[in-house]
């Protein structure tokens, strides 16, 4: 083990996680970094705040619900770039170990901001994809929907084969509401009172992502942050592992196996 690891903190978090029956993992772009995906801010973690698109728009405008309705070819160009980045990526150790832990702890849930489907590919079942997934396509006018492995072979922007209207990915673009089903799932998970909350690889800038960590501190549950940098919830975390996600989960898993 690297000397930079805080072994005492790892031991303590592993002990807490080992006793927990209802862990809540909150994940952001940082958990997919070891799968080769970028961690910059933006939908899917692909763009810097100050970057303008080829058309001269801020990425938040190009990737907005309003732009999708007005000029879908622009939004689809950039969601296509995100999907292309996801295409070659597979789940890493962090995704796989969280999925493995769910088999031992059926009360475990994952709340992810990522739209890359890597938690699902790793085998997680109790999964709230709060921002959706690029791999599900929906018609904006009828009930048509389709799951796709990738966008290879698709003409972008695609049209509905049943009614000819616009098709969109099932993701939350800037300016759009969060999906009601995902919010209801999150509410139910919080009502069931997680006995540990672990925030992994996210800056926690959105209130609904930071809220479970605040709730944990107020309710007395462990609030663990796994992130090499400082974030919006660093000051309230009861335990901090300043590590990458795959590294940290591997270390925790090894300690759990020794218990």
């Amino acid at each position: 083990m690297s000397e930079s690891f805080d072994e005492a903190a790892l031991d303590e978090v592993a002990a807490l996680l080992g006793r927990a029956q209802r862990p809540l993992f909150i994940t952001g772009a940082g958990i997919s970094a070891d799968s080769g995906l970028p961690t910059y801010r933006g939908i899917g973690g692909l763009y810097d705040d100050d970057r303008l698109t080829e058309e001269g728009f801020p990425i938040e405008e190009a990737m907005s619900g309003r732009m999708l309705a007005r000029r879908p070819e622009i939004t689809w160009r950039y969601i296509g770039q995100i999907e292309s980045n996801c295409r070659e990526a597979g789940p890493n150790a962090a995704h796989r170990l969280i999925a493995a832990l769910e088999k031992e702890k059926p009360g475990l849930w994952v709340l992810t901001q990522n739209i890359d489907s890597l938690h699902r590919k790793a085998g997680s079942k109790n999964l709230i994809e709060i921002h959706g997934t690029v791999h599900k396509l929906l018609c904006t006018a009828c009930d048509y929907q389709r799951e796709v492995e990738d966008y290879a072979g698709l003409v972008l922007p695609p049209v509905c084969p049943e009614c000819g209207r616009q098709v969109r990915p099932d993701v939350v673009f800037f300016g759009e509401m969060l999906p009601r089903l995902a919010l209801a799932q999150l509410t139910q998970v919080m009502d069931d009172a997680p006995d540990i909350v672990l925030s992994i690889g996210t800056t926690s800038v959105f209130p609904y992502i930071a809220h479970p960590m605040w709730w944990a501190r107020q309710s007395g549950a462990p609030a663990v942050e796994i992130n090499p940098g400082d974030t919006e919830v660093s000051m309230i975390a009861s335990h901090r592992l300043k590590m990458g996600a795959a590294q940290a989960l591997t270390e925790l898993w090894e300690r759990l196996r020794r218990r």
Side-chain angles (χ1 to χ4, degrees):
M1 182 187 294
S2 168
E3 292 182 0
S4 64
F5 292 175
D6 187 336
E7 296 198 40
L10 282 163
D11 291 343
E12 188 171 357
V13 171
L16 292 168
L17 185 56
R19 292 193 294 269
Q21 295 302 311
R22 298 180 306 283
L24 172 61
F25 287 84
I26 305 168
T27 68
I31 198 171
S32 297
D34 288 315
S35 296
L37 296 182
T39 57
Y40 308 124
R41 185 181 177 274
I43 291 181
L46 187 58
Y47 297 100
D48 288 308
D49 284 340
D50 298 330
R51 175 175 171 178
L52 296 180
T53 68
E54 295 174 12
E55 302 82 7
F57 297 110
I59 192 61
E60 291 87 350
E61 185 175 350
M63 298 284 287
S64 68
R66 188 175 77 164
M67 184 67 76
L68 179 68
R70 186 163 57 93
R71 296 186 61 184
E73 73 279 4
I74 291 179
T75 305
W76 269 102
R77 175 179 298 169
Y78 297 101
I79 199 70
Q81 290 181 8
I82 290 172
E83 189 280 327
S84 178
N85 273 264
C86 296
R87 193 176 304 173
E88 301 301 322
N92 62 53
H95 299 103
R96 293 192 297 269
L97 293 175
I98 291 173
L101 194 59
E102 183 188 319
K103 294 179 180 178
E104 301 179 5
K105 299 176 182 291
L108 182 153
W109 278 84
V110 177
L111 167 65
T112 187
Q113 301 168 83
N114 299 336
I115 60 174
D116 54 31
S117 302
L118 293 183
H119 280 295
R120 191 173 299 278
K121 290 178 181 178
S124 288
K125 305 296 184 186
N126 296 342
L127 179 62
I128 303 172
E129 293 172 309
I130 197 74
H131 292 161
T133 171
V134 294
H135 297 107
K136 184 177 181 180
L137 305 181
L138 307 172
C139 179
T140 58
C142 74
D143 293 333
Y144 173 81
Q145 56 183 267
R146 175 187 175 192
E147 296 275 352
V148 296
E149 286 292 324
D150 55 49
Y151 291 176
L154 289 180
V155 176
L156 304 182
V159 296
C160 177
E162 296 184 1
C163 73
R165 299 288 291 276
Q166 180 179 305
V167 168
R168 61 167 291 159
D170 187 22
V171 303
V172 179
F173 290 114
F174 289 104
E176 294 186 325
M177 301 291 288
L178 295 172
R180 285 181 293 178
L181 177 58
L183 286 173
Q185 288 177 317
L186 178 56
T187 298
Q188 183 60 60
V189 169
M190 297 309 299
D191 285 347
D192 290 341
D195 46 13
I196 186 172
V197 175
L198 302 98
S199 176
I200 305 177
T202 173
T203 53
S204 299
V205 295
F206 298 120
Y208 51 90
I209 297 300
H211 167 71
M213 288 286 282
W214 284 99
W215 174 90
R217 285 311 306 265
Q218 291 168 357
S219 66
V224 180
E225 182 176 46
I226 298 173
N227 201 308
D230 295 331
T231 75
E232 296 294 321
V233 297
S234 295
M235 293 297 291
I236 64 166
S238 60
H239 301 76
R240 292 188 67 189
L241 300 177
K242 301 191 77 170
M243 304 167 63
Q247 225 175 28
L249 266 295
T250 299
E251 293 292 333
L252 292 173
W253 181 262
E254 290 177 354
R255 285 162 172 77
L256 289 171
R257 295 305 91 193
R258 295 199 295 262
R259 289 172 57 84

